[in-house]
Amino acid sequence: MVVGGKKGVKSVIALTATFACFLFFFFPLLLHGFSPIVAAVITSTIVLSLTVWLICGPTRQAVAAGIASFGGVLSAGIAAEVFGRMAHLSGYNVPNIEALLFISQNSKIDVGELLFAGILFASLGAVLDIAMDVSAATAEIRSQSAEVSAQSLFKSGMRVGQDVMGTMAATLILAVFGGSLGTWVLDYVYDLPFLQLLNSNSLDIVIMQGLSGGIGVILTVPIAAGFSAVLLSRHRQQQADEPEQAKASQA
């Protein structure tokens, strides 16, 4: 907090609010019979809105980052659904499925959709990070040069996003790999054939998580750059029009 200042405090508050959203909102929705995917989308929207508002305040940068983050998460969810259908994956391929099925017998939880809801949450952090990077860089360029055009802002945002995109995708893949390290070790120790590995549900799930998250990160960049350029340019135009309107009213 000493290093981060006010934004460090706000980041801690955002982290606490995120945990509270899962504990007091997402899990109760599941127990009341809501679709895990729908509940995940609603919870992600709330988390995104709270985090962006706490960090950026009610600014155009916050609006651009929020829209881009939501678009990236939605893209990751659609990509996961498409890949899951192509690979014939279902939510019943996840670990601890026996215990989950036992719980579902005495509750309204739809176990089959938990896998895809988890992918939405897994991509949320990376997507929000790159959306904030692009929108913040674009806003900084705009603050340093009031005459910069929307097209130049978009190109600058794309260049920043492309530089961050590679490391962010690598971070996402490494996080997925680290989360399933035990499975990889078992497969390596037993020296399973390559074709068997490709057809295993555990490996397919890891690939689906990595690919869908990467697609979400990639598509977040143009969304963030585009909305940042448009919103900040409109703000510049409004600021330029205000003195002219004031002069006209005085005349």
Side-chain angles (χ1 to χ4, degrees):
M1 293 185 183
V2 176
V3 177
K6 291 183 178 180
K7 287 202 172 182
V9 176
K10 291 180 179 179
S11 298
V12 174
I13 296 175
L15 183 62
T16 305
T18 300
F19 180 75
C21 284
F22 283 108
L23 193 60
F24 300 110
F25 187 76
F26 178 70
F27 294 135
L29 285 181
L30 296 184
L31 292 176
H32 282 84
F34 272 73
S35 164
I37 295 178
V38 174
V41 171
I42 297 174
T43 306
S44 298
T45 304
I46 296 174
V47 170
L48 288 173
S49 302
L50 285 174
T51 303
V52 172
W53 180 77
L54 285 170
I55 301 300
C56 300
T59 61
R60 294 173 184 266
Q61 175 190 340
V63 174
I67 294 174
S69 300
F70 182 77
V73 171
L74 191 62
S75 301
I78 294 173
E81 180 69 21
V82 172
F83 185 87
R85 291 182 181 275
M86 292 175 61
H88 302 290
L89 288 174
S90 67
Y92 299 97
N93 304 116
V94 297
N96 302 322
I97 186 60
E98 293 84 2
L100 289 172
L101 287 174
F102 177 76
I103 292 175
S104 66
Q105 293 176 356
N106 302 308
S107 66
K108 299 179 181 180
I109 298 177
D110 187 352
V111 177
E113 294 185 358
L114 287 177
L115 172 63
F116 301 98
I119 291 174
L120 289 178
F121 290 132
S123 62
L124 181 60
V127 165
L128 179 59
D129 193 355
I130 196 167
M132 289 293 294
D133 289 341
V134 174
S135 60
T138 308
E140 182 64 22
I141 294 171
R142 168 68 180 80
S143 66
Q144 297 298 323
S145 177
E147 301 302 323
V148 64
S149 65
Q151 185 178 5
S152 298
L153 283 176
F154 176 76
K155 290 181 178 179
S156 298
M158 286 295 296
R159 284 194 293 268
V160 172
Q162 288 167 357
D163 290 339
V164 180
M165 186 191 305
T167 55
M168 191 58 62
T171 301
L172 193 61
I173 293 295
L174 290 173
V176 172
F177 176 79
S180 59
L181 186 60
T183 302
W184 289 93
V185 170
L186 285 175
D187 292 339
Y188 180 81
V189 170
Y190 284 111
D191 195 20
L192 298 178
F194 181 71
L195 290 178
Q196 184 175 348
L197 286 175
L198 288 180
N199 288 284
S200 64
N201 290 327
S202 58
L203 183 60
D204 287 342
I205 291 173
V206 171
I207 294 174
M208 178 177 65
Q209 290 174 332
L211 286 178
S212 58
I215 290 173
V217 166
I218 291 171
L219 293 180
T220 301
V221 173
I223 299 175
F227 275 97
S228 297
V230 171
L231 292 174
L232 293 173
S233 296
R234 287 184 178 179
H235 182 53
R236 180 193 65 180
Q237 186 63 39
Q238 289 176 358
Q239 288 179 330
D241 292 341
E242 286 176 358
E244 296 180 0
Q245 293 175 356
K247 292 179 180 178
S249 61
Q250 291 176 358

